[in-house]
Amino acid sequence: GSTEACLLAGLALKFRWRKWYAARHGLSHTEVLAVRPNIVMSSCFQAAWEKMFKFFDVEAKMYKPNLVKDKMAVNAEEMVALCDENTIAVVGILGNHYNGMYDPVWDIDREVGKLNAEKGWQIGVHVDGASGGFIAPFQEMSGKPTPGPFDFRLPNVLSISASGHKFGESICGTGWIVFRQREDLAEHVATTVTYLGGSSDSLTLNFSRPASGPYVQFYKLLRLGKEGYKQKVENQMAVAAYLRHFI
């Protein structure tokens, strides 16, 4: 599901940073391998990121949001202050797993842009939409948008992940990763194969995998369409409002 999406985004961002860092400091490929990168994110992250930190040797720099003041959403200025030259990305969570709050991706993007301009860095923003990826766009369509954009309308957002098997209505194990561009991003995790007589790219961690997830997702996208997902999200928000009022 979105675990692999997060891993692929993290790897692409890591390799992008490694190329930039080596050029900036005049390091060889072997020398730059000794420098450990980091990712800055909220302590409300989903468990998928634990695999990124452990498997791919990336340091986690956690920002602990204030439950009372910010309702578990991050303060963008304070979180981005944790960045340094080894930061490959800042992660904004679009619906954390504790209370569903959206990190202010629009503010994170602004602060990252200011920091990059000041320091000459190239830190990007990854949007973890495991929960909100199939919610926020349809809230916007319903006339109830987030306070600011959360996607590629923002200049520093380089990748977005989403769980198709949550609110995308697909089967378990369906996840999506969307890159802003191929150059210096998706190309870093693409492996070209010629098994079937022609060249094609594989961008997944596994070569062989079932196609049931994409098939079901495609069916739901065709069956429901934008209007169907919008109605579904409106119903979910109405149920959530009722439960909040009842509790």
Side-chain angles (χ1 to χ4, degrees):
S2 63
T3 294
E4 185 174 358
C6 292
L7 297 181
L8 290 168
L11 285 173
L13 292 164
K14 177 182 177 180
F15 298 146
R16 172 181 180 267
W17 165 85
R18 184 181 285 167
K19 177 182 175 183
W20 169 84
Y21 191 92
R24 182 179 177 91
H25 292 279
L27 302 179
S28 68
H29 175 70
T30 301
E31 289 171 329
V32 76
L33 293 179
V35 185
R36 192 182 188 204
N38 66 69
I39 291 179
V40 174
M41 66 173 61
S42 167
S43 60
C44 297
F45 68 96
Q46 59 158 321
W49 290 102
E50 293 279 9
K51 296 190 176 185
M52 179 70 197
F53 308 142
K54 184 174 183 178
F55 295 170
F56 302 125
D57 199 23
V58 174
E59 178 189 357
K61 298 187 75 171
M62 295 296 172
Y63 173 81
K64 187 176 182 180
N66 187 301
L67 173 59
V68 176
K69 181 181 176 182
D70 298 316
K71 299 180 180 178
M72 283 185 150
V74 302
N75 178 292
E77 186 174 355
E78 293 176 0
M79 185 168 78
V80 173
L82 298 176
C83 294
D84 57 31
E85 195 179 33
N86 292 2
T87 301
I88 65 177
V90 178
V91 175
I93 303 173
L94 203 62
N96 72 55
H97 284 197
Y98 294 94
N99 67 349
M101 281 295 292
Y102 293 168
D103 284 339
V105 179
W106 46 94
D107 290 336
I108 295 172
D109 179 86
R110 182 193 67 238
E111 295 301 318
V112 166
K114 287 164 56 178
L115 185 63
N116 285 340
E118 176 188 345
K119 301 286 188 179
W121 296 345
Q122 63 151 27
I123 298 171
V125 176
H126 173 74
V127 178
D128 185 347
S131 294
F134 278 89
I135 296 292
F138 303 106
Q139 288 177 306
E140 189 168 349
M141 288 178 58
S142 297
K144 298 177 181 179
T146 56
F150 50 82
D151 49 27
F152 296 127
R153 288 171 289 181
L154 300 171
N156 298 296
V157 172
L158 300 181
S159 52
I160 304 171
S161 56
S163 286
H165 65 203
K166 291 189 178 73
F167 301 116
E169 300 290 309
S170 187
I171 62 172
C172 190
T174 309
W176 301 103
I177 174 68
V178 184
F179 290 105
R180 187 181 194 95
Q181 62 205 34
R182 179 181 176 84
E183 182 182 1
D184 208 22
L185 274 174
E187 67 180 7
H188 291 309
V189 291
T191 301
T192 302
V193 295
T194 57
Y195 287 158
L196 300 178
S199 294
S200 62
D201 282 347
S202 171
L203 286 89
T204 55
L205 295 179
N206 287 345
F207 272 114
S208 301
R209 57 185 303 139
S212 50
Y215 275 135
V216 173
Q217 185 74 85
F218 188 51
Y219 167 76
K220 291 296 181 72
L221 291 173
L222 291 176
R223 177 69 178 83
L224 297 175
K226 290 182 179 179
E227 188 62 30
Y229 275 100
K230 182 171 76 76
Q231 292 178 13
K232 179 180 75 70
V233 169
E234 288 174 349
N235 290 340
Q236 290 170 313
M237 294 301 104
V239 171
Y242 173 82
L243 291 175
R244 282 197 302 273
H245 177 75
F246 178 79
I247 294 173

